[in-house]
Amino acid sequence: MKKLFVSSVLMMLALFVNARVVTDSIESKVLSCKVKYNVYLPAGFNKNAPEKYPVLYLLHGFTDTYTAWVMKGRVQEIADELLQTGEMCPMVIIMPNAGGPDTKNTWNGYFNMEGWKYEDFFFNELIPQAEKRYNIVGDRQHRAVSGLSMGGGGSTGYALTHPDMFSSCYLMSAWLESEDNELDPNDKSTYVRHAVHSRSAIDFVSSSSEDIVNKLKTLKWFIDVGDDDFLLSGNIKFYQAMQAKHIPCELRVRNGAHNWEYWHTALRTSLPFATRNFSK
Amino acid sequence: MKKLFVSSVLMMLALFVNARVVTDSIESKVLSCKVKYNVYLPAGFNKNAPEKYPVLYLLHGFTDTYTAWVMKGRVQEIADELLQTGEMCPMVIIMPNAGGPDTKNTWNGYFNMEGWKYEDFFFNELIPQAEKRYNIVGDRQHRAVSGLSMGGGGSTGYALTHPDMFSSCYLMSAWLESEDNELDPNDKSTYVRHAVHSRSAIDFVSSSSEDIVNKLKTLKWFIDVGDDDFLLSGNIKFYQAMQAKHIPCELRVRNGAHNWEYWHTALRTSLPFATRNFSK
Amino acid sequence: MKKLFVSSVLMMLALFVNARVVTDSIESKVLSCKVKYNVYLPAGFNKNAPEKYPVLYLLHGFTDTYTAWVMKGRVQEIADELLQTGEMCPMVIIMPNAGGPDTKNTWNGYFNMEGWKYEDFFFNELIPQAEKRYNIVGDRQHRAVSGLSMGGGGSTGYALTHPDMFSSCYLMSAWLESEDNELDPNDKSTYVRHAVHSRSAIDFVSSSSEDIVNKLKTLKWFIDVGDDDFLLSGNIKFYQAMQAKHIPCELRVRNGAHNWEYWHTALRTSLPFATRNFSK
Amino acid sequence: MKKLFVSSVLMMLALFVNARVVTDSIESKVLSCKVKYNVYLPAGFNKNAPEKYPVLYLLHGFTDTYTAWVMKGRVQEIADELLQTGEMCPMVIIMPNAGGPDTKNTWNGYFNMEGWKYEDFFFNELIPQAEKRYNIVGDRQHRAVSGLSMGGGGSTGYALTHPDMFSSCYLMSAWLESEDNELDPNDKSTYVRHAVHSRSAIDFVSSSSEDIVNKLKTLKWFIDVGDDDFLLSGNIKFYQAMQAKHIPCELRVRNGAHNWEYWHTALRTSLPFATRNFSK
């Protein structure tokens, strides 16, 4: 066992270096800027493999950037571990940028706003490029969406209005409603609040026609929110709206607040959930 | 190791036989009948020990009896295990009878009703007898209450109206409100629904004076309810009422419905919770 | 909401009655007796469905019978719940009889012994009949084996010697070795100990040829044993033997001993494990 | 709710800024250098409070420094959360430096070595200064030790040889033995391996006199190690040595390897464990 301990440590570092999170970007015509995104590639990923990969879009929160899930959320360590035990299947995880800390002067948000048509960008530019570059199947049965806080609201908004695009949607501490709807042209953060106000997930479900409701039933839904989260109430209302329309939806209120400790453990549930709901 | 396997099995059976759940009873003047109760005694229990024990009152649900927590809930196996790891402290658990399966002709319920003054029985007869017989400390800092469904509602009702009697209250899938308030003298089950209606936990909290609110803040509260439980909505309303009054309260919505699988796992959380909130 | 509570309770009882555990039996020529087995059928089971079901063989322990997993292990409640959340796929679970409490006069055990050729019965009679009757796929990629204590040892012995028959094997507190090898013709329990002695899982792996090792690598293995289990040591030795031969194998040592509380929670892990390792 | 979302985010940032991890240091005469240590102070910490605090010494691993538990292990977020739920009691956590990444030229290790008498420093300099500065009770019943990898081995070594100093010891992926015992004066890393070799925890327990064994029984022990950890085998041997001497000891083998994902979750168990074993 001579030097075994040191060798093992070095080997772990080597594994770490080989790890597969890459940063990519897209020149968006819609947004008139370059948008970065991080990509998690499962061990053994092969760009030219005959069998293509399912994909999860994993969205960050307000004031954060595309690096948050990797740096603060430890997505790689957790995904590698779940992959090794088989709880998660090999999948590509796309983590696009949709914000930044200077919320007055930087756009934040996943919805279309005046001057920031992010939803158009997401569906018309990001999805096509990413799915082509990373050998992704590219149908709804192999595409899932999830996110935290503002990204949880974005996930929900995307899944509600594009139910034919996703097999499942996992909400982490999601921001689903806002009372703020005043716009201040000098403060971009007012635009995201206004957008969340206009796109209330609760109102959307409550006012859905039977036809829409039937489409929403074809996705799997999972709400995960802490009992000390200041957004708990909106999540409960969304759950109740889903129940009133008889749309199956899982709900978990675990111990915790609006922070990375919560999302770190939420990720361990969301990746197997996406896996179970990809087509076999 | 000859015969070791067989010996071990026999030893386990022996432990099982030595296990300490006893059935006791009380001749109630208030209820004009004999009321049975099961008592869990921790390993090494000594009726004459100089150091007295804390106590948990653990209440069964509608249509069940005092045997439910022992037979269906496996209280002994779980308590023994938690005691051995130190997650639970040595405590006595009292499981009184408050119902039966023939709900038309058998009284069910923990509140005072016309003809069934159970709450008077509980506080004036049961507590004094049990705490004397089983070497219990007998103050609020060493007394907790918990229960499932109708027993969760009973626990809550007791803790709300006797906040000076308990250090903590743990609700499992609690029945906290009812719209039914018609009484049918030929159907005793209408009396319990009427009582739950009159004693709505949500209304009680919402209409509490500042003085009452301050008293309710001296207890520790924990709500545990499944996302597929038909009583979820009432529990959420109770949580929101507590929040509106700034009374600290834990909330967990775990996967599950209104059944023993849920309460079995809830018990593993409730016993350490009671322990942590007994005085040191 | 009039009568809602009572209706809900009745509805739950109805669901309970509709639940699908059936008792079947087989007239064994090999054993010269009738052998009973319980069968868990997933909700919506259809004997004539075009899509056939995967199967798990779930084996009971020493002194127990085919009823143990249903009555003590709550297999139906747990499987129904995991099925509903998608953590388990629809599968048939076969729980055959291989013992009884009077171990002196009743045969116990899953291996071939003089007078009790159970392994022959299992592979030549039970599997063919059960898989035909219950619309089971019937290939290795849709067949798993698991069991507790003596049944954990049986599962392991079956998977080690028939690696072409199972996709995965999950050991719960498994009995994998015995020092006892004396036979007393007047005490049938000596025969099972002798058989476990002869079929030591540790020795089998340690002395396996490269060819056998390669076959054992095609199954997924999972060892689950409590830190206070008197069989812990044998399970550790088995894990170390597997590691020495580089056969991938999961190991969990959780808090607990050799009892139903442990197996109850083990079942919640084993059913998703079998599911993940069935072919897609 | 105008601006509520933004206000809440700002409030959380404020809480973060108020958080209480301080960096302190000690001029060690024993080591002839300044040694830094991080200190976690529970919310509401008061240096002059009449009621003093219990303390946990939390030790980092090989190649790491005193910052590891804070930066990589998120000790503050986890401790704050457990404190808020009551699973952990208010305690001070001391995280001293005992290493660095350049292992050839930097001392690593918790034992006394030629030129690095860390154990003398720990007991004669660090404990007295820290316990005085941070209002710590300072007796064995209010002092616990824990650590990961090299720090797990250090914790174990300290608790084995100073059983009168600690109420509990929690090992995370502990480094308990080494076959390396050659010293290279030009490579300080050989000294720590040599020290671990000389201080084998397994040999210490196996060769303990009845008197020492009785002292070791007065502590609470908890071993936590992943099934894919390259140090698993040593931990199992240590557990078996403890069992052979009938010294009560918890064992958990969870899913995982030798990495921060494992220690992150281990910390959630170790803090309540230390709490339960402080005197009441």
Side-chain angles (χ1 to χ4, degrees), chain B residues 6 72 74 261 268, chain C residues 6 72 74 193 261 268:
Chain B
V6 173
K72 302 179 185 177
R74 301 191 187 183
E261 272 306 295
R268 289 185 175 274
Chain C
V6 173
K72 302 181 184 173
R74 300 190 187 184
R193 283 198 293 278
E261 272 306 295
R268 289 185 175 273

Side-chain angles (χ1 to χ4, degrees), chain D residues 106-126:
Chain D
T106 308
W107 286 109
N108 269 277
Y110 295 95
F111 298 134
N112 281 343
M113 311 167 203
E114 208 183 307
W116 181 252
K117 304 282 181 194
Y118 196 91
E119 196 160 359
D120 291 348
F121 156 75
F122 188 88
F123 285 95
N124 299 331
E125 295 185 328
L126 177 67

Side-chain angles (χ1 to χ4, degrees), chain C residues 67-126:
Chain C
T67 65
W69 273 110
V70 173
M71 301 303 287
K72 302 181 184 173
R74 300 190 187 184
V75 73
Q76 185 181 305
E77 291 88 334
I78 295 176
D80 282 352
E81 189 176 314
L82 294 171
L83 197 55
Q84 188 255 332
T85 60
E87 292 173 77
M88 174 182 123
C89 69
M91 68 172 82
V92 172
I93 304 175
I94 307 283
M95 294 157 278
N97 202 70
D102 175 3
T103 62
K104 193 177 173 188
N105 300 302
T106 307
W107 286 109
N108 269 277
Y110 294 96
F111 297 135
N112 281 342
M113 311 167 202
E114 206 182 308
W116 180 252
K117 304 282 180 194
Y118 196 91
E119 195 160 358
D120 291 348
F121 156 76
F122 188 88
F123 285 96
N124 299 331
E125 295 185 328
L126 177 67

Side-chain angles (χ1 to χ4, degrees), chain A residues 1-3 5-6 12 62 72 74 78 85 179-180 193 228 230 255 258 261 264 268, chain D residues 1-3 5-6 12 62 72 74 78 84-85 179-180 193 228 230 255 258 261 264 268:
Chain A
M1 204 176 81
K2 184 127 182 71
K3 313 273 179 189
F5 186 82
V6 173
M12 290 192 308
F62 185 60
K72 301 180 184 174
R74 301 191 187 183
I78 295 176
T85 61
E179 292 190 5
D180 300 336
R193 283 198 292 278
D228 294 319
F230 64 95
N255 187 39
H258 205 79
E261 272 306 294
H264 180 85
R268 289 185 175 273
Chain D
M1 204 176 79
K2 183 128 182 73
K3 311 274 177 187
F5 186 81
V6 173
M12 290 191 306
F62 185 60
K72 303 180 184 175
R74 300 189 186 185
I78 295 176
Q84 187 255 333
T85 60
E179 292 191 3
D180 300 337
R193 283 198 292 279
D228 295 319
F230 64 96
N255 187 40
H258 204 79
E261 272 305 295
H264 181 84
R268 289 185 176 273

Side-chain angles (χ1 to χ4, degrees), chain B residues 188-242:
Chain B
K188 289 190 165 63
S189 77
T190 63
Y191 285 72
V192 63
R193 283 198 292 278
H194 178 271
V196 173
H197 173 85
S198 312
R199 293 284 291 268
S200 161
I202 295 118
D203 293 349
F204 184 93
V205 172
S206 298
S207 62
S208 286
S209 67
E210 196 186 326
D211 184 49
I212 298 288
V213 165
N214 285 336
K215 284 184 182 161
L216 298 182
K217 286 179 180 173
T218 65
L219 278 86
K220 299 291 181 181
W221 300 87
F222 198 115
I223 303 171
D224 188 350
V225 61
D227 66 335
D228 294 318
D229 197 308
F230 64 95
L231 297 178
L232 173 66
S233 167
N235 281 268
I236 296 292
K237 280 191 246 172
F238 180 66
Y239 181 74
Q240 291 171 331
M242 296 287 273

Side-chain angles (χ1 to χ4, degrees), chain A residues 222-243:
Chain A
F222 198 115
I223 303 170
D224 188 350
V225 62
D227 66 335
D228 294 319
D229 196 309
F230 64 95
L231 297 178
L232 173 66
S233 167
N235 281 268
I236 297 291
K237 280 191 244 171
F238 180 65
Y239 181 74
Q240 290 171 332
M242 296 288 272
Q243 282 204 310

